[in-house]
Amino acid sequence: MKPIIKLSYVFVLMCAIVCNVNCKEKAMKGNSENDKVTASNTVTISRADYGVTKIGDKVEEFTLTNKEGMVVSIITYGGRITSLKTADKEGRMENVVLGFDSLAQYEENNPFFGALIGRYGNRIAKGKFSLNDTEYTLAKNNGENNLHGGLIGFDKVVWSVEGTEENDNSASLKLSYLSKDMEEGFPGNLKTTVTYTLNKDNSLDVLYQATTDKTTIVNLTQHSYFNLSGDFSQLILDHKVEINADKFVPVDGSLIPTGELAPVEGTPFDFRTAKLVSEGINADNEQIALGGGYDHCWALNNADAGYRSVAKAHHPGTGRTIEVFTDQPGMQFYSGNFLDGTLPRPEGGVYAKRSGFCLETQHYPDSPNQPNFPSVVVTPEDKYETKTTFKFYTK
């Protein structure tokens, strides 16, 4: 009987070993399949409550993240980018856009940090324009001029969430806002949607779309302030900027275009070859003096070509670079001249003059009053659509 017991024991032991091996193989296969699912989900989007406005509107925050570690946070109040984290040449992740750490601060007067701008980005002279023989009067919220849509522009409203989407290559947040007929003095019910899309290659697309039921004017843009050093106590004078433009838009004393397009050659406005911001920002130049630095629109080259690369900014210390692509004819390069040291930074301290810069793709300022500028008129038969991309990398 003993040999039988031994054989039975051996048989049971062998079965256990085989079962153990098979289980491990199944487990390994299962883990591999799970890993594949996770790996394919390269860009994600999440939602959180952000707060409630003074008038009781709920504000949400959406965070888009890709596998490279780039993280973009957007709130529905003003469609604002509140944080954009990307790596430096050593792989360190830091936020590179100026902002606040509370909704209450965004509701107070601030220089449009991270906001969507509309209906009309930039200035309209004396707050007036004519369309089809009708004169329209807008708020004068920038001296004698209208700026960035008026007293309650698109930066100061809560946008609706049309939907979110994520896949192997990108994650998108689609926001919408209905600007009613004569809101801030602009004609027509304007339905606007803006879709932010973070891609796996560290590019952020901003797609603007709008339709109207009455002929109107539209000029939308995005007003993030960048500081690629990731250290907002440092100024942006050590950034190198390149703008593909042979001409820029000179302005008068109230920063309204004179109507001409002037050559950049031989002026501080020549960024056709990358150069430090510090090289020309304090130059003895009338236009520099009027803007308090750079606060001008460049007439971008190859406007007929549509969507193309138009500008770059590079921070030599961290290696971070931002490249701008757009189908727009112009871009406002603003060097943060009106930051005055009164606004608090989330990490402590204050935002000093020139601690951030903007690259606002758009039509030219005051286009409704400048017959020689590209038209900003949109009719009920038109669909306004334009795309800008901010791509981040290191070198």
Side-chain angles (χ1 to χ4, degrees):
M1 297 296 292
K2 287 184 179 180
I4 294 175
I5 294 173
K6 287 183 177 180
L7 287 173
S8 300
Y9 175 77
V10 172
F11 177 78
V12 171
L13 181 62
M14 289 178 66
C15 288
I17 292 172
V18 171
C19 179
N20 188 46
V21 170
N22 288 338
C23 289
K24 284 184 177 180
E25 287 178 349
K26 288 181 180 179
M28 290 176 66
K29 184 177 181 181
N31 288 338
S32 176
E33 289 173 350
N34 289 335
D35 288 344
K36 287 180 182 178
V37 172
T38 302
S40 68
N41 194 16
T42 55
V43 196
T44 61
I45 184 168
S46 61
R47 191 208 71 85
D49 293 333
Y50 192 77
V52 179
T53 67
K54 294 176 181 177
I55 61 174
D57 292 331
K58 180 181 176 182
V59 176
E60 298 173 290
E61 178 185 51
F62 290 84
T63 301
L64 291 67
T65 307
N66 69 16
K67 286 295 183 182
E68 296 297 316
M70 184 170 165
V71 183
V72 182
S73 296
I74 300 161
I75 58 174
T76 53
Y77 180 76
R80 295 173 184 253
I81 297 174
T82 57
S83 175
L84 192 157
K85 296 178 181 177
T86 188
D88 67 5
K89 60 187 176 183
E90 304 298 332
R92 289 186 292 263
M93 303 297 299
E94 291 175 301
N95 176 33
V96 296
V97 296
L98 279 58
F100 299 122
D101 57 7
S102 74
L103 176 59
Q105 290 172 307
Y106 283 110
E107 287 193 90
E108 295 299 324
N109 288 331
N110 67 80
F112 306 96
F113 280 162
L116 294 176
I117 303 297
R119 286 188 191 188
Y120 196 93
N122 222 309
R123 296 172 176 85
I124 296 178
K126 303 186 184 304
K128 292 183 179 182
F129 69 96
S130 293
L131 196 58
N132 295 336
D133 298 323
T134 299
E135 184 175 82
Y136 294 93
T137 300
L138 312 173
K140 295 180 179 180
N141 62 325
N142 183 243
E144 286 296 302
N145 306 315
N146 178 270
L147 175 66
H148 291 336
L151 299 175
I152 304 178
F154 288 5
D155 60 295
K156 296 179 180 68
V157 300
V158 177
W159 290 64
S160 300
V161 178
E162 290 281 305
T164 62
E165 182 179 344
E166 60 182 56
N167 55 48
D168 292 354
N169 299 311
S170 64
S172 298
L173 168 66
K174 187 174 184 179
L175 302 174
S176 70
Y177 177 66
L178 176 62
S179 176
K180 296 183 179 180
D181 184 32
M182 298 311 297
E183 181 175 295
E184 289 294 320
F186 294 94
N189 291 295
L190 188 76
K191 171 67 181 295
T192 302
T193 64
V194 176
T195 305
Y196 287 106
T197 301
L198 175 63
N199 302 295
K200 65 180 182 180
D201 67 351
N202 285 352
S203 62
L204 179 68
D205 299 331
V206 190
L207 175 65
Y208 309 86
Q209 297 171 303
T211 56
T212 181
D213 61 359
K214 186 186 296 185
T215 300
T216 190
I217 60 170
V218 183
N219 187 32
L220 307 179
T221 192
Q222 218 291 333
H223 209 292
S224 286
Y225 288 70
F226 299 100
N227 185 324
L228 299 178
S229 74
D231 180 356
F232 301 144
S233 69
Q234 302 298 314
L235 305 185
I236 48 88
L237 302 180
D238 60 349
H239 286 58
K240 286 188 173 182
V241 170
E242 180 180 343
I243 303 174
N244 185 14
D246 296 331
K247 296 180 179 180
F248 77 106
V249 183
V251 295
D252 62 18
S254 64
L255 301 182
I256 292 295
T258 61
E260 64 175 321
L261 299 181
V264 299
E265 187 171 359
T267 76
F269 296 87
D270 191 350
F271 284 94
R272 292 175 294 179
T273 301
K275 69 178 182 182
L276 291 169
V277 175
S278 61
E279 288 186 34
I281 199 167
N282 295 314
D284 183 11
N285 175 277
E286 181 185 18
Q287 286 295 311
I288 289 289
L290 289 172
Y294 294 112
D295 190 8
H296 296 73
C297 186
W298 271 251
L300 300 170
N301 292 340
N302 306 315
D304 292 340
Y307 182 77
R308 73 266 185 222
S309 175
V310 298
K312 296 177 184 177
H314 172 68
H315 184 251
T318 62
R320 289 190 183 95
T321 303
I322 179 174
E323 184 170 3
V324 183
F325 300 78
T326 192
D327 51 20
Q328 290 287 277
M331 186 188 75
Q332 188 90 358
F333 171 45
Y334 171 51
S335 53
N337 313 313
F338 295 108
L339 297 173
D340 59 4
T342 62
L343 299 175
R345 304 196 312 262
E347 72 277 14
V350 294
Y351 289 115
K353 181 178 181 179
R354 297 173 181 166
S355 57
F357 65 90
C358 302
L359 301 170
E360 307 161 57
T361 57
Q362 58 187 249
H363 272 60
Y364 307 155
D366 197 37
S367 289
N369 297 312
Q370 303 282 352
N372 295 326
F373 286 0
S375 175
V376 292
V377 175
V378 178
T379 73
E381 292 73 38
D382 299 328
K383 181 178 181 181
Y384 176 95
E385 182 169 312
T386 178
K387 177 183 176 182
T388 291
T389 298
F390 302 101
K391 185 172 183 178
F392 297 84
Y393 50 90
T394 58
K395 64 177 184 178

